[in-house]
Amino acid sequence: MNDVATPDRIAIPTDVAGLTAEWFDAALEEKIVGARVLDVIHGTATKVKVDLDFQTDDGIDTRTVWLKTGFEKQMPEKQERVYEGETNYYRNYADRFDTRTPHCYFADTGEDGNSLIVLEDLTPLGVKFCELTEPATPELMGSALEAIARYQANSWMLPELWESDWLRGGGAFDHAECLKWLWQDKEHWDDYSKRPRFQMLDPSLRDREKLLAAHTIARTKWLRMEPWAFSHGDAHFGQFYTLPSGEVRALDWQCIQIAHHMHDVALLMTTGLTKEDRRACDRDLVKHYIDKLRDFGVEDAIDFERAFTMMRGFAIHQVGWALCKVEMQPEENCAAATERASAAAMDYGTVELLLNS
């Protein structure tokens, strides 16, 4: 269970220097007598590895934790809404739909909009984190699709989800106006068109206004078509990890939303498979995913061809890797994802499908 600490509002640190034993003592409501920062990873969010010394009846117990927060001052305007999305997840949904996420010790968003979560260290479990530069085998992809099917089946068309303005309104992606900086900023487009990953984008896809129009349709017209379910919202392959048992689970739930059930499937398959494997296995993998939905309790009839068509449209989201800011992801990740997403969008006729819908 994620028994998230909910103390009276305490100030959330705005830099690494603020991650003191005193702050952890107040935030976790446990006796913390020492805190040592071991590593700091910058990206879309700041990830900080910390050793904490807990005072127990038997002495000192040291535990490693990970923080996720928004120390990234170079992020786009309204980026704090992305961090707020994960706080929302751990406070309200992490134990609800069998998402099987890491234990969360603390999650809060301050009055200034700054957010921070404290999570368990997964290293002792022997997990392997998926890398965009190392594509999945079809077998691994099948296991990852099972993870998606599990949390979707547990939240399938749940009325209370529709009552959430945050989820119904597109989650952090739309609240942070990501389409605006992704496609509308011509200066950003001109800059990133000179980067190596842009060369992975098929020439026929290098039309900023057309991509904006197509992606807007996906977000406004397609996203909440029925049947919908609880959505990870940013389910690219690099968001998953495997356990020694072979089970696959997802991380980084900052973009939770309500979405058509094929949305997360499209995001995963268009980034996790080589184009050759996707072309050979995509239909079989979608059938496998639908079978898993049924195994997990979805009784609605799911039309395979309609589901596959919806996946073709949602592939537009991952074309955006060509414009992903360098502060968010390293160039090699962007290049790998752009190459696969571009091939998928071309194979599936994604842009035309959306524009003609």
Side-chain angles (χ1 to χ4, degrees), residues 1-15:
M1 293 288 289
N2 281 290
D3 300 320
V4 181
T6 55
D8 294 334
R9 275 279 168 80
I10 63 173
I12 293 177
T14 57
D15 55 36

Side-chain angles (χ1 to χ4, degrees), residues 134-204:
E134 300 175 14
T137 63
E139 293 75 21
L140 176 57
M141 180 58 61
S143 296
L145 289 170
E146 181 175 340
I148 292 176
R150 182 185 295 109
Y151 65 73
Q152 288 180 336
N154 280 279
S155 60
W156 196 259
M157 296 287 288
L158 192 64
E160 70 175 79
L161 296 179
W162 193 261
E163 296 170 4
S164 166
D165 292 339
W166 181 270
L167 298 180
R168 191 179 65 253
F173 188 91
D174 288 344
H175 283 86
E177 299 180 357
C178 289
L179 282 184
K180 182 177 181 180
W181 69 259
L182 191 61
W183 302 118
Q184 290 182 336
D185 187 343
K186 187 176 184 303
E187 183 177 347
H188 177 67
W189 173 276
D190 291 342
D191 179 12
Y192 278 68
S193 65
K194 301 179 180 68
R195 296 182 181 273
R197 100 283 287 267
F198 202 86
Q199 305 313 308
M200 304 294 180
L201 197 61
D202 190 275
S204 67

Side-chain angles (χ1 to χ4, degrees), residues 109-282:
T109 297
E111 294 179 356
D112 60 355
N114 191 30
S115 299
L116 186 147
I117 60 175
V118 182
L119 300 172
E120 72 169 312
D121 179 25
L122 294 174
T123 305
L125 299 180
V127 306
K128 182 180 187 301
F129 295 98
C130 298
E131 300 285 350
L132 285 165
T133 53
E134 300 175 14
T137 63
E139 293 75 21
L140 176 57
M141 180 58 61
S143 296
L145 289 170
E146 181 175 340
I148 292 176
R150 182 185 295 109
Y151 65 73
Q152 288 180 336
N154 280 279
S155 60
W156 196 259
M157 296 287 288
L158 192 64
E160 70 175 79
L161 296 179
W162 193 261
E163 296 170 4
S164 166
D165 292 339
W166 181 270
L167 298 180
R168 191 179 65 253
F173 188 91
D174 288 344
H175 283 86
E177 299 180 357
C178 289
L179 282 184
K180 182 177 181 180
W181 69 259
L182 191 61
W183 302 118
Q184 290 182 336
D185 187 343
K186 187 176 184 303
E187 183 177 347
H188 177 67
W189 173 276
D190 291 342
D191 179 12
Y192 278 68
S193 65
K194 301 179 180 68
R195 296 182 181 273
R197 100 283 287 267
F198 202 86
Q199 305 313 308
M200 304 294 180
L201 197 61
D202 190 275
S204 67
L205 292 175
R206 299 176 194 177
D207 185 325
R208 182 176 60 85
E209 293 185 357
K210 186 178 286 189
L211 291 174
L212 171 61
H215 204 167
T216 299
I217 289 171
R219 296 298 303 179
T220 59
K221 184 177 178 180
W222 284 46
L223 189 65
R224 282 168 292 282
M225 287 184 177
E226 295 184 1
W228 45 260
F230 186 77
S231 167
H232 180 283
D234 189 27
H236 66 75
F237 182 58
Q239 305 283 43
F240 290 79
Y241 64 95
T242 61
L243 294 167
S245 66
E247 181 185 345
V248 179
R249 297 180 180 178
L251 288 166
D252 296 344
W253 294 82
Q254 60 266 16
C255 290
I256 57 170
Q257 58 194 272
I258 289 169
H260 185 275
H261 70 98
M262 291 303 296
H263 178 266
D264 286 2
V265 174
L267 270 56
L268 175 60
M269 287 183 57
T270 55
T271 54
L273 293 166
T274 65
K275 59 186 178 183
E276 293 82 9
D277 281 344
R278 178 184 47 76
R279 288 166 180 166
C281 302
D282 56 0

Side-chain angles (χ1 to χ4, degrees), residues 41-47 68-83 131-132 172-173 176-183 188 192 195 197 234 236 238-239 252 254-255 317-318 320-335 337:
I41 301 173
H42 297 280
T44 306
T46 314
K47 300 177 183 180
K68 284 186 64 180
T69 187
F71 295 161
E72 308 304 309
K73 305 304 181 184
Q74 77 283 4
M75 287 294 101
E77 184 182 0
K78 298 188 178 182
Q79 184 68 28
E80 69 275 4
R81 303 309 300 271
V82 174
Y83 309 133
E131 300 285 350
L132 285 165
F173 188 91
E177 299 180 357
C178 289
L179 282 184
K180 182 177 181 180
W181 69 259
L182 191 61
W183 302 118
H188 177 67
Y192 278 68
R195 296 182 181 273
R197 100 283 287 267
D234 189 27
H236 66 75
Q239 305 283 43
D252 296 344
Q254 60 266 16
C255 290
H317 187 84
Q318 303 299 44
W321 278 90
L323 280 298
C324 180
K325 289 178 178 284
V326 294
E327 297 87 356
M328 294 181 172
Q329 290 280 349
E331 184 66 27
E332 58 268 26
N333 284 357
C334 295

Side-chain angles (χ1 to χ4, degrees), residues 1-4 88-104 151 154 230 253:
M1 293 288 289
N2 281 290
D3 300 320
V4 181
N88 182 17
Y89 168 74
Y90 277 105
R91 281 194 173 277
N92 298 302
Y93 304 107
D95 288 330
R96 296 289 309 283
F97 308 124
D98 205 6
T99 51
R100 303 187 179 186
T101 45
H103 182 87
C104 182
Y151 65 73
N154 280 279
F230 186 77
W253 294 82

